[in-house]
Amino acid sequence: MNIGEAAAASGVSAKMIRYYETIGLIAAPGRTAAGYRVYGENDLHTLRFIRRARDLGFSVEQMGELLALWRDRSRASADVKRLAERHIAALDRKAEQLLEMSRTLRRLVHECHGDRRSACPILDDLAESADEGDDRRRLVSTITSQFGDRGR
Amino acid sequence: MNIGEAAAASGVSAKMIRYYETIGLIAAPGRTAAGYRVYGENDLHTLRFIRRARDLGFSVEQMGELLALWRDRSRASADVKRLAERHIAALDRKAEQLLEMSRTLRRLVHECHGDRRSACPILDDLAESADEGDDRRRLVSTITSQFGDRGR
DNA sequence: CTTGACCTTTCCATTATGGGAACCTTCATC
DNA sequence: GATGAAGGTTCCCATAATGGAAAGGTCAAG
């Protein structure tokens, strides 16, 4: 099976399959005399595994860990569980951040008439409430030299 | 005020201030004879506006739109509201995707003993449930019949 | 006048993905 | 056998937003 067929059968694009190969996530497959990559059933399993993990939001690095655990017959399921739980926590954290932004924005939108007049609490808030907290300011000036400040 | 002070006072890193300048999000400020960038109160307002918008998850492009609306005395608040509402929807959509992943993973984790044994429904699921979709499955069985399996 | 903190520009790296060019291979069809 | 379409190969480029590092100029305090 060549790369296009493997892509269609796994749901991972040919482009990404080659990429995963270059970064060492998957092994280099055999080649035909003409240089075409040749994939077999095992490769397909791996690719499907990868697509599924990717759909669950795992990073390439985490997929590497998962693949290693998958192939390791002697690993304890606790290892897998730990990885999954950490990922769940990260997903929830990110989601919560987004929802927090959404709530804030929703509050502002609620106060905005949204008519043809120009008064707009949304912009007013963006313009003014931006310098909340002197701690932050002090913190920033003290810290930014040594740590990257991403202010979140 | 030079760039370091502007950064500390706005919460936007010096690096990012320069970046925003190169991409045209903010205007190039004046310079001292030595070439140092010089910022004034107005610039500071803009930078604070930017940081606040960034904290709300707006992209650079959207910040550009917001800035334009902010500076445009004649714009209708409805324009701002529309932009904000679209952004709220996008935030909610992303959050929902993350939560959906989280839920799926949580379900799998729930079924995993997480002990020293190797049985692990998480990996099993990743390995197996990946081939939903009949097109794909049909394709696979058609294709794999003609090629020997050359795994790794 | 030296020192250290700050400024300048330029280049590189990150993550995961896609696009495109230039060129070669396979295969079906005329 | 020639031809063209479809698909393979590599290599380079681009994305969004951010940081890091290098090499060098500037400023204020000692």
Side-chain angles (χ1 to χ4, degrees), chain A residues 96-120:
Chain A
E96 181 45 47
Q97 281 173 4
L98 293 177
L99 290 176
E100 173 57 31
M101 296 182 206
S102 172
R103 277 192 293 272
T104 302
L105 213 45
R106 211 184 298 272
R107 208 160 46 234
L108 292 174
V109 162
H110 183 68
E111 290 159 16
C112 175
H113 292 300
D115 52 19
R116 233 155 306 132
R117 285 169 299 167
S118 65
C120 180

Side-chain angles (χ1 to χ4, degrees), chain A residues 11-66:
Chain A
V12 180
S13 74
K15 207 83 185 191
M16 289 314 295
I17 295 178
R18 293 195 197 96
Y19 171 67
Y20 291 148
E21 182 186 324
T22 67
I23 62 171
L25 181 64
I26 58 181
R31 301 275 186 140
T32 66
Y36 283 25
R37 288 175 179 77
V38 179
Y39 298 91
E41 267 306 306
N42 274 347
D43 302 301
L44 216 46
H45 277 143
T46 304
L47 288 172
R48 292 214 187 92
F49 184 101
I50 285 173
R51 181 177 72 80
R52 181 82 175 139
R54 196 193 53 186
D55 287 351
L56 284 171
F58 284 98
S59 69
V60 167
E61 192 181 356
Q62 290 171 319
M63 292 195 287
E65 297 175 47
L66 285 172

Side-chain angles (χ1 to χ4, degrees), chain B:
Chain B
M1 171 168 26
N2 63 27
I3 201 170
E5 292 162 333
S10 67
V12 180
S13 74
K15 203 84 187 189
M16 289 313 296
I17 295 178
R18 293 195 198 97
Y19 171 67
Y20 291 147
E21 182 186 325
T22 67
I23 63 172
L25 180 65
I26 58 180
R31 301 274 185 139
T32 66
Y36 283 24
R37 288 174 179 78
V38 178
Y39 298 91
E41 269 305 307
N42 274 350
D43 302 302
L44 217 45
H45 277 144
T46 304
L47 288 173
R48 292 213 186 94
F49 185 101
I50 285 172
R51 181 177 72 79
R52 182 83 174 138
R54 194 195 55 184
D55 288 352
L56 284 171
F58 284 97
S59 69
V60 167
E61 191 181 356
Q62 289 171 320
M63 292 195 287
E65 296 175 48
L66 285 172
L67 277 173
L69 292 172
W70 185 38
R71 291 196 264 249
D72 179 4
R73 285 286 156 77
S74 69
R75 90 274 183 276
S77 63
D79 294 336
V80 184
K81 191 167 186 171
R82 205 177 315 118
L83 189 55
E85 277 168 342
R86 248 187 291 134
H87 188 47
I88 288 173
L91 289 171
D92 289 349
R93 225 177 306 123
K94 269 183 224 160
E96 181 44 47
Q97 281 173 6
L98 293 178
L99 290 176
E100 173 58 31
M101 295 181 207
S102 172
R103 276 191 293 272
T104 302
L105 213 46
R106 210 184 298 272
R107 212 160 43 235
L108 292 175
V109 162
H110 183 68
E111 290 160 16
C112 175
H113 293 298
D115 52 21
R116 234 155 306 132
R117 286 168 300 166
S118 65
C120 180
I122 301 173
L123 293 180
D124 295 348
D125 184 274
L126 284 174
E128 278 159 36
S129 74
D131 71 345
E132 76 240 359
D134 329 59
D135 313 23
R136 258 191 230 120
R137 203 141 25 172
R138 228 180 297 114
L139 196 65
V140 170
S141 48
T142 319
I143 287 169
T144 47
S145 47
Q146 19 184 345
F147 295 93
D149 192 334
R150 39 179 348 285
R152 52 211 57 211

